[in-house]
């Protein structure tokens, strides 16, 4: 890569690209936690749009950006509470619950905004900092989230509980854990991180498109899966998610440098996910059966 | 109605699913009543034909999603495969200059191949269906975009092809015949044939089905191939109805189809679900969408409102099924019986 396309590694476009993708990394971290508990959430894209729009409106109405940003995180967490209550409380299947919330939130937002963009106040862009510092700050926040969660998952008891619940919820319950609380917490965490990601995305543009976040769920699930998080729960790590995210983020600009037309993007992303899961499947097959 | 030979657990299950279907029928009747009273031109022959035309693609996809979900799988790629088949159809017809029936055959072959590709990864490599079809969701749509370079659209199809989208046979829209035929075939295989029953057995317990001597992987492969084939058929009716074939054809249809199946009472974990329930699920969503567009008060926001209502109806159906499970579990505990888990074997 470095040999064939030296332009790819020039710092400025690389930084812009990473800053633009940083929100996805934040959501992917939360998604990884939910997937570790053997659940899934496909409603993050709609929630992301709601958080962006509400934060944008609040920031425009009353120029107190910190408040608006906090509201986005709180709204995200509230969305997570609803998903978590339905999945962990009523024991409904996560894929169907989040399918329902995906449709409901998206359509409610469409009804509410009618496709009108939200204009953001001047001072909000890059948190009021110069562009370069702002980009660095966005990337730094995403990295802090990544490293913090990685440490929690590896080192703290609550992190190990996530793995225990995902590997075998019944065994975890017999060992004295509260699987439903852990699952609920994972959904709330993902919701809050979705709100944070919406903020990180918000500060990069002068407007909010109410249709933002479409297909976000696919991108972040893809990053988690390519990074080795098992859909069957209990296996995977955040450094893996980070590498999956980097691979998926860099693949399309990298291919452009190599002369592949951009309309092949989606097909190549699909092939990459397939290759990653197929490798995982073959590896699992070779393992001796326990 | 229950046959004398069936075990108590199985007949209880059948009764429960019947109760769910009556509930759906009630919802549908209420919708029709409200819209025919409050809406303009709702209960006219033209509007009903229109309603059927617009729900054919999602209806077809929901019908073939049912076997997939019965086996405990899921197929997120059908909407994208629809797009790919539509583009393949258009390019064979226009760029290769073949007559349209041959191009239609090509689209069906591509659909079956796409379904087979999903099936080979899911069944051959034992990968989770959710992830495989998530990847092919992206792959098929990406191939469709690559084939058309993102922007190209195929139009000006011959009159004989457009007949598929707007013609009538015996006074009934062509799509109604297609949808009815597909529903008949599905009903026969799911409820009246052993291979359809084996789908349910696999969904209840894949291990158990294997030990019972069922060819599990072959049966699972059929469900995905049939789903791919139906995506091909839906691509043809879609192109014929709109008169164009573009790479973004059928975006979001997989979610609508899954919604209809789940609304129809199928368990996403596999094992339960009926064709009648699925059809009712499709009808409830279709009538809601169509009817809201005919209420004077909601004319301008009908599209958004119907989407929102679909989501809310799905949430209500989920909560309702959770509640009825809880209630059934409670009442059977009260009688001191073991809660039936529906896995009782059906005597031959």
């Amino acid at each position: 890569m470095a040999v064939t396309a030296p332009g790819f590694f020039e710092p400025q476009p690389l930084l812009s690209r990473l800053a633009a993708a940083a929100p996805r990394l934040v959501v992917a971290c939360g998604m990884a936690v939910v997937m570790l508990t053997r659940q899934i959430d496909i409603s993050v894209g709609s929630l992301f749009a709601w958080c962006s729009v509400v934060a944008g409106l609040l920031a425009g109405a009353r120029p107190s950006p910190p408040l608006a940003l906090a509201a986005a995180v709180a709204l995200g967490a509230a969305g997570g509470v609803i998903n978590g209550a339905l999945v962990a409380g009523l024991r409904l299947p996560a894929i169907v619950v989040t399918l329902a919330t995906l449709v409901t939130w998206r359509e409610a937002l469409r009804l509410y905004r009618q496709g009108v963009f939200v204009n953001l106040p001047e001072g909000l862009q890059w948190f009021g900092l110069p562009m370069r510092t702002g980009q660095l700050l966005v990337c730094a926040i995403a990295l802090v989230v990544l490293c913090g969660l990685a440490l929690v998952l590896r080192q703290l008891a609550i992190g190990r509980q996530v793995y225990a619940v995902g590997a075998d919820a019944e065994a975890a319950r017999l060992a004295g854990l509260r699987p439903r609380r852990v699952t609920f917490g994972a959904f709330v965490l993902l919701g809050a991180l979705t709100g944070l990601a919406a903020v990180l995305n918000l500060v990069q543009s002068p407007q909010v498109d109410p249709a933002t976040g479409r297909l976000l769920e696919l991108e972040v699930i893809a990053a988690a899966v390519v990074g080795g998080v098992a859909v069957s729960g209990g296996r995977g790590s955040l450094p893996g998610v980070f590498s999956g995210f980097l691979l998926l983020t860099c693949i399309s600009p990298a291919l452009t440098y190599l002369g592949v037309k951009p309309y092949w993007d989606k097909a190549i992303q699909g092939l990459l996910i397939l290759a990653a899961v197929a490798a995982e499947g073959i590896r699992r097959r070779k393992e001796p059966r326990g | 109605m229950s046959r004398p030979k069936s075990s108590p657990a199985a007949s209880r299950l059948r009764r429960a699913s019947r109760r769910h279907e009556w509930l759906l029928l009630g919802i549908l009747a209420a919708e029709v009543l409200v819209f025919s009273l409050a809406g303009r031109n709702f209960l006219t022959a033209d509007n009903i034909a229109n309603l059927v035309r617009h729900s054919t693609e999602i209806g077809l996809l929901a019908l073939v999603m049912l076997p997939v979900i019965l086996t405990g799988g899921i197929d997120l790629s059908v909407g994208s495969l629809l797009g790919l088949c539509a583009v393949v159809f258009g390019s064979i017809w226009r760029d290769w200059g073949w007559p349209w029936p041959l191009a239609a055959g090509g689209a069906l072959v591509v659909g079956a191949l796409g379904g087979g590709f999903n099936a080979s990864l899911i069944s051959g490599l034992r990968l989770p269906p959710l992830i495989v079809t998530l990847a092919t969701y992206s792959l098929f749509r990406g191939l469709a975009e690559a084939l058309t370079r993102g922007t190209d659209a195929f139009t000006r199809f011959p009159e004989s092809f457009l007949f598929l989208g707007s013609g009538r046979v015996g006074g009934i829209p062509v799509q109604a015949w297609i949808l009815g035929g597909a529903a008949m075939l599905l009903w026969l295989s799911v409820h009246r044939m052993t291979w359809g029953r084996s789908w349910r057995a696999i969904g209840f317990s894949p291990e158990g089905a294997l030990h019972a001597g069922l060819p599990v992987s072959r049966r699972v492969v059929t469900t995905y191939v049939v789903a791919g084939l139906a995506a091909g058929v839906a691509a043809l009716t879609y192109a014929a109805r709109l008169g164009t074939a573009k790479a973004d054809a059928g975006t979001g249809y997989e979610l609508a189809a899954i919604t209809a199946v789940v609304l129809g009472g199928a368990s996403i974990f596999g094992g339960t679900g009926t064709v009648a329930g699925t059809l009712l699920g499709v009808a409830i969503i279709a009538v809601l969408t169509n009817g809201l567009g005919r209420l004077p008060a909601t004319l301008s926001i009908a599209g958004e409102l119907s989407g929102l209502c679909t989501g809310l109806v799905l949430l209500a159906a989920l909560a309702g099924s959770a509640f009825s499970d809880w209630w059934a579990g409670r009442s059977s505990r009260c009688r001191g019986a073991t809660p039936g888990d529906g896995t009782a074997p059906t005597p031959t």
Side-chain angles (χ1 to χ4, degrees):
Chain A
M1 195 62 237
V3 182
T4 48
F8 180 70
F9 281 103
E10 274 168 24
Q12 191 46 48
L14 195 64
L15 183 62
S16 302
R17 210 165 279 138
L18 285 179
R24 243 179 295 155
L25 176 62
V26 173
V27 182
C29 290
M31 184 64 79
V33 175
V34 167
M35 285 172 72
L36 283 176
T37 67
R38 207 176 197 162
Q39 307 290 349
I40 200 152
D41 186 345
I42 56 172
S43 72
V44 284
S46 305
L47 198 54
F48 183 86
W50 262 105
C51 292
S52 306
V53 167
V54 168
L57 285 176
L58 281 178
R62 232 162 85 275
S64 55
L67 188 74
L69 306 187
V73 177
L75 182 69
V81 166
I82 295 177
N83 283 336
L86 288 169
V87 172
L90 290 179
R91 296 176 198 250
L92 294 172
I95 172 98
V96 190
V97 166
T98 55
L99 171 67
T101 47
L102 162 87
V103 176
T104 311
W105 299 159
R106 175 67 68 188
E107 298 297 331
L109 184 62
R110 248 185 9 143
L111 185 63
Y112 171 47
R113 291 302 301 170
Q114 303 276 322
V116 179
F117 280 51
V118 181
N119 286 313
L120 296 177
E122 279 293 308
L124 201 61
Q125 212 166 1
W126 302 117
F127 300 106
L129 300 168
M131 185 172 121
R132 216 185 138 77
T133 333
Q135 283 176 336
L136 279 174
L137 183 62
V138 166
C139 292
I141 292 175
L143 281 179
V144 165
V145 168
L146 174 80
C147 296
L149 264 183
L151 275 180
V152 168
L153 280 181
R154 269 186 68 86
Q155 305 291 344
L156 296 188
I158 181 75
R160 303 317 300 176
Q161 286 187 10
V162 168
Y163 282 95
V165 168
D168 190 335
E170 186 56 21
R173 194 184 65 80
L174 293 175
L177 305 182
R178 303 275 185 93
R180 290 162 83 181
R181 275 194 201 177
V182 174
T183 308
F184 180 75
F187 274 99
V188 177
L189 175 72
L190 172 57
L193 287 180
T194 306
L196 178 64
V199 169
L200 293 185
N201 188 49
L202 190 74
V203 297
Q204 303 190 25
S205 64
Q207 290 182 312
V208 183
D209 178 1
T212 182
R214 254 179 223 280
L215 299 188
L216 177 71
E217 60 280 355
L218 296 181
E219 288 166 358
V220 297
I221 293 172
V225 169
V226 171
V229 177
V231 206
S232 49
R235 254 174 327 122
S237 69
L238 283 189
V241 174
F242 185 56
S243 58
F245 158 79
L246 278 187
L247 189 62
L248 288 181
T249 309
C250 294
I251 195 80
S252 67
L255 287 174
T256 315
Y257 275 102
L258 292 180
V260 179
K261 294 285 183 294
Y263 39 74
W264 281 95
D265 266 10
K266 254 188 205 160
I268 287 163
Q269 283 223 343
L271 276 180
L272 253 175
I273 304 172
L274 276 184
V277 281
E280 167 79 13
I282 290 166
R283 191 180 63 91
R284 204 175 42 208
R285 232 186 203 192
K286 281 187 182 155
E287 278 173 10
R289 293 199 174 174
Chain B
M1 284 283 264
S2 70
R3 280 165 292 173
K5 270 183 175 176
S6 56
S7 68
S11 78
R12 193 160 63 229
L13 198 73
R14 207 170 298 138
R15 244 178 312 173
S17 74
R18 199 156 289 152
R19 200 171 58 215
H20 185 83
E21 280 153 25
W22 281 114
L23 179 73
L24 292 179
L25 204 58
I27 296 176
L28 186 62
E31 276 183 2
V32 171
L33 191 69
V34 168
F35 290 134
S36 51
L37 289 179
R40 274 181 299 190
N41 302 331
F42 177 72
L43 264 186
T44 58
D46 271 352
N47 187 45
I48 290 169
N50 189 18
L51 201 156
V52 170
R53 286 217 168 99
H54 282 265
S55 49
T56 306
E57 288 88 35
I58 288 175
L60 276 174
L61 295 181
L63 278 173
V64 292
M65 187 69 79
L66 177 68
V68 173
I69 288 181
L70 278 180
T71 63
I74 197 155
D75 192 342
L76 297 176
S77 71
V78 284
S80 302
L81 192 52
L82 194 162
L84 180 60
C85 291
V87 165
V88 164
F89 168 76
S91 60
I92 291 181
W93 172 74
R94 192 190 67 186
D95 300 342
W96 296 9
W98 289 16
W100 76 261
L102 281 179
L108 294 186
V109 168
V110 168
L113 284 179
F117 183 62
N118 281 335
S120 65
L121 290 167
I122 291 164
S123 193
L125 286 178
R126 292 179 191 288
L127 300 176
L130 181 72
I131 298 303
V132 168
T133 56
L134 187 71
T136 50
Y137 169 95
S138 184
L139 177 66
F140 294 151
R141 185 70 70 197
L143 285 177
E145 282 175 8
L147 272 175
T148 56
R149 290 175 191 77
T151 53
D152 202 1
F154 303 95
T155 50
R156 280 191 235 136
F157 293 119
E159 209 46 49
S160 56
F161 174 68
L162 294 178
F163 178 76
L164 207 59
S166 57
R168 285 165 187 258
V169 175
I172 297 172
V174 179
Q175 283 107 324
W177 292 103
I178 297 176
L179 193 59
M184 205 42 138
L185 282 179
L186 252 293
W187 182 79
L188 277 177
S189 46
V190 170
H191 296 298
R192 284 293 175 270
M193 282 160 78
T194 45
W195 62 312
R197 183 175 297 176
S198 66
W199 289 333
R200 260 188 279 179
I202 293 166
F204 271 134
S205 162
E207 285 281 294
L210 202 63
H211 290 313
L214 294 176
V216 170
S217 60
R218 222 170 19 182
R219 292 284 190 271
V220 170
V221 167
T222 33
T223 62
Y224 289 96
V225 173
V226 167
L229 207 56
V233 176
L236 296 180
T237 61
Y238 183 93
R241 175 163 65 87
L242 295 180
T244 60
K246 272 198 309 187
D248 67 349
T251 308
Y253 278 20
E254 61 287 331
L255 293 187
I258 295 170
T259 305
V261 173
V262 170
L263 191 60
S267 159
I268 203 78
F269 298 126
T272 47
T274 61
V275 171
T278 303
L279 282 177
L280 282 170
V282 172
I284 286 177
I285 296 173
V287 169
L288 192 68
T289 312
N290 178 286
L292 281 173
R294 307 207 158 250
L295 291 186
T298 60
L299 269 182
S300 57
I301 51 167
E304 291 88 344
L305 205 58
S306 69
L308 177 60
C309 290
T310 307
L312 289 176
V313 166
L314 180 59
L315 270 178
L318 280 175
S321 76
F323 179 76
S324 79
D325 283 355
W326 171 80
W327 185 256
R330 209 185 74 129
S331 56
S332 71
R333 260 201 304 282
C334 287
R335 286 199 306 270
T338 50
D341 52 359
T343 50
T346 336
T348 46

